[in-house]
Amino acid sequence: MDAHTTVLNRTNAHTLNLARRVTALQKALDASEGRIDHTTAEKARSVLQRAGRRAALSGEKTVIALAGPTGVGKSSLFNALIGKDIADVSVKRPTTSQVRAVTWGKQHPNELLDWLGAGSRHLLEANDPHLTDLILLDLPDYDSVEIKHRETVDRLIEVVDALIWVVDPEKYADAALHEGYLQPLNEYAEVMMVAFNKSDQLSEADMNRCVRDLRQILNDNRLQATRIVVTAAQYGTGVAALLEMIKKTAAAKIAMTLRVLRDIRIAAYSIEIELGKASPVVNRQMVSTLAASVSDVVGVREKAASVEQDWLSKGWAVTGWPFVSRRHRKLKDPLQKVKASKRVKVDLSNETGSASFQGAVGRAKLSDALQSFADNVSADLPAGWKRAIWTAANREVNPLLSQLSDIASQNLVTTPKVSWWSVFRVLKIMGILTVVTGIGWLVSAPILSAFNYEPFPATYWFGLPAPVVLLIAGIVFGVLLGLLGRLLVRPGARRRAKTVTLQLLDQIEAVMQARVADPVVAELTRLSQAQAFCRTAIN
């Protein structure tokens, strides 16, 4: 495999990696829309726009800029690198007042130079094929008294593919350089170099000491990948070595990609910080707890109690002591109000209404339940996502109220079908017949005598007249039958109440799942996707 093929394969691999990360950042930004800080989102958009614009203008060209403070010989080094005196040189004052650009070949890439804002443009003959895809810029001094010069430097630092920082023995350790530029740019260490110029002013020992000092400062600022080249532009020292590094950077054709990759990574990391690391989930227990909270709004306990009382009333009427059980039939139907509620229509436009869940109190209880659910889900999430979760939980509150209305207005009146109640009916008839027989026997004697009939012969059981025995036995049997009936009916009533409670809770839970939990789960899925896209963009 020849060198050209190797470079091409590596370039294609970096390009594919860049495309993947650009897509991931765009998706992370889309998923986080409205949920992260506006400034963070705008910076990410700016990176995406800049990356797209830079690639569209010329993905083949490599833009390398010389930057530095006043008086370090930056323009002299620029002239030495290109082999012509294009940049003005002065020992008295800073003379780099505009962006100078040098390109090699047959024509300027004017559209790219316009985007860079290059004011002075020079086209040189390409006597080296490695220079044909190179654009070399000479930037204004970043410490210039002219504000617009500093603004130009700051703007271009964000868009050029590679940077060569020019320093000298006096300014190589300036805090303005390291704290203001190099340290904040440590993510771009691979696409930066430092040219230690004016090395002729120092002895070899002092020069080595200064370079070691500079290397330590760079390392401390996490710039281990940033290379140092010792130069003396006036005498040409180190110029060839620096130019060779520049050519290799241009020939590799990955400086632009590496630079944009770093931009993407920084933007994605900023979003990731705002997304947080938490990945909450909505489980069945949380939805069940929400449904239980809302059950008070629907009146589940009251409805279950009414169903239980209805069952007891009907059961006691069937199984109770015959002469007392008639009283149960005259009692007011405990589900009468529940039956009537079926005719109530919910008016969502009005805060007042007949149904409890329609009024302000019911709405307040529902709101509290939804707020508690949203708070529980989003406890570990940043503010933007907390708001998003709350909005999702309350998004369908009106349809939610309508469905709760339908649940609350159900007719739960049932006709119990209990097999053993039929046995009690037969026993009840037997008790009634026994009492009636006893009473009839007692009153038969005077009646028959009044009509001159012979009364029934006197009969004694257990030492008592038989009619009295029948009467007492029927009464005792009826009382015992009633007590037994009350005991046996109550567990069934409780089971029926429990069944109704579970049925209503299941219905409420299904509504809560569809109207509250599912929108919240969708929001959490969006968060999880945004986190995954950020990881892809970063790694």
Side-chain angles (χ1 to χ4, degrees), residues 10 63 82 150 171 235 311 396 419 476 490 501 509:
R10 186 169 57 176
V63 181
I82 62 178
R150 297 200 299 273
K171 295 186 176 182
Y235 300 101
W311 187 283
E396 300 191 45
S419 57
V476 172
R490 190 174 295 280
T501 299
E509 186 172 330

Side-chain angles (χ1 to χ4, degrees), residues 222-527:
R222 294 186 299 165
L223 290 159
Q224 291 89 342
T226 298
R227 292 163 292 177
I228 300 174
V229 181
V230 177
T231 63
Q234 184 175 359
Y235 300 101
T237 304
V239 173
L242 180 58
L243 183 59
E244 189 62 27
M245 288 185 180
I246 292 173
K247 288 179 181 180
K248 286 182 179 179
T249 300
K253 297 183 182 299
I254 60 171
M256 184 271 287
T257 303
L258 290 176
R259 173 59 197 260
V260 176
L261 282 173
R262 297 303 184 273
D263 291 341
I264 295 293
R265 185 180 183 214
I266 292 171
Y269 184 69
S270 297
I271 295 176
E272 185 184 51
I273 290 175
E274 294 207 32
L275 298 180
K277 299 293 185 181
S279 299
V281 296
V282 176
N283 54 41
R284 177 69 182 275
Q285 182 59 45
M286 296 170 72
V287 180
S288 298
T289 301
L290 174 61
S293 300
V294 176
S295 67
D296 289 338
V297 180
V298 179
V300 170
R301 282 183 294 185
E302 292 81 357
K303 293 171 77 66
S306 297
V307 167
E308 181 179 2
Q309 187 58 44
D310 176 68
W311 187 283
L312 289 174
S313 179
K314 291 175 179 177
W316 290 342
V318 171
T319 63
W321 167 230
F323 302 103
V324 177
S325 63
R326 292 183 58 85
R327 180 176 67 89
H328 294 285
R329 298 192 188 97
K330 297 179 181 179
L331 291 177
K332 191 172 183 179
D333 187 351
L335 289 182
Q336 182 176 354
K337 292 183 180 180
V338 177
K339 295 175 188 176
S341 69
K342 188 177 181 181
R343 299 189 296 271
V344 176
K345 300 296 183 182
V346 176
D347 181 9
L348 296 175
S349 63
N350 192 341
E351 285 295 332
T352 62
S354 300
S356 63
F357 53 84
Q358 288 179 255
V361 174
R363 282 179 175 258
K365 287 182 178 180
L366 177 60
S367 179
D368 288 344
L370 295 179
Q371 182 67 61
S372 177
F373 175 76
D375 289 345
N376 186 26
V377 172
S378 62
D380 299 324
L381 299 182
W385 288 93
K386 285 181 183 290
R387 291 191 299 269
I389 294 297
W390 185 91
T391 300
N394 288 268
R395 186 175 297 145
E396 300 191 45
V397 67
N398 281 350
L400 175 62
L401 283 169
S402 179
Q403 289 187 273
L404 291 179
S405 168
D406 293 339
I407 293 173
S409 60
Q410 291 180 86
N411 185 0
L412 300 174
V413 177
T414 60
T415 301
K417 294 182 180 180
V418 185
S419 57
W420 63 266
W421 287 13
S422 299
V423 176
F424 268 72
R425 284 192 181 95
V426 173
L427 294 176
K428 226 168 60 166
I429 292 173
M430 293 174 59
I432 292 173
L433 291 176
T434 302
V435 172
V436 170
T437 300
I439 294 174
W441 198 343
L442 284 174
V443 301
S444 65
I447 293 175
L448 291 174
S449 296
F451 288 97
N452 296 317
Y453 289 102
E454 186 70 25
F456 292 113
T459 304
Y460 290 87
W461 295 339
F462 307 107
L464 295 173
V468 174
V469 173
L470 288 176
L471 181 62
I472 294 173
I475 293 173
V476 172
F477 177 76
V479 171
L480 293 176
L481 185 68
L483 292 174
L484 181 61
R486 293 181 73 89
L487 290 174
L488 295 179
V489 168
R490 190 174 295 280
R494 289 174 178 170
R495 285 194 299 271
R496 175 57 185 164
K498 184 177 181 180
T499 300
V500 167
T501 299
L502 292 177
Q503 289 175 345
L504 290 174
L505 286 176
D506 285 344
Q507 294 178 36
I508 296 171
E509 186 172 330
V511 173
M512 290 297 131
Q513 182 68 49
R515 298 294 184 184
V516 180
D518 285 350
V520 169
V521 168
E523 196 65 41
L524 293 177
T525 300
R526 183 171 181 163
L527 169 62

Side-chain angles (χ1 to χ4, degrees), residues 10-21:
R10 186 169 57 176
T11 301
N12 290 337
H14 280 289
T15 301
L16 290 173
N17 186 28
L18 176 60
R20 179 176 62 89
R21 294 200 193 187

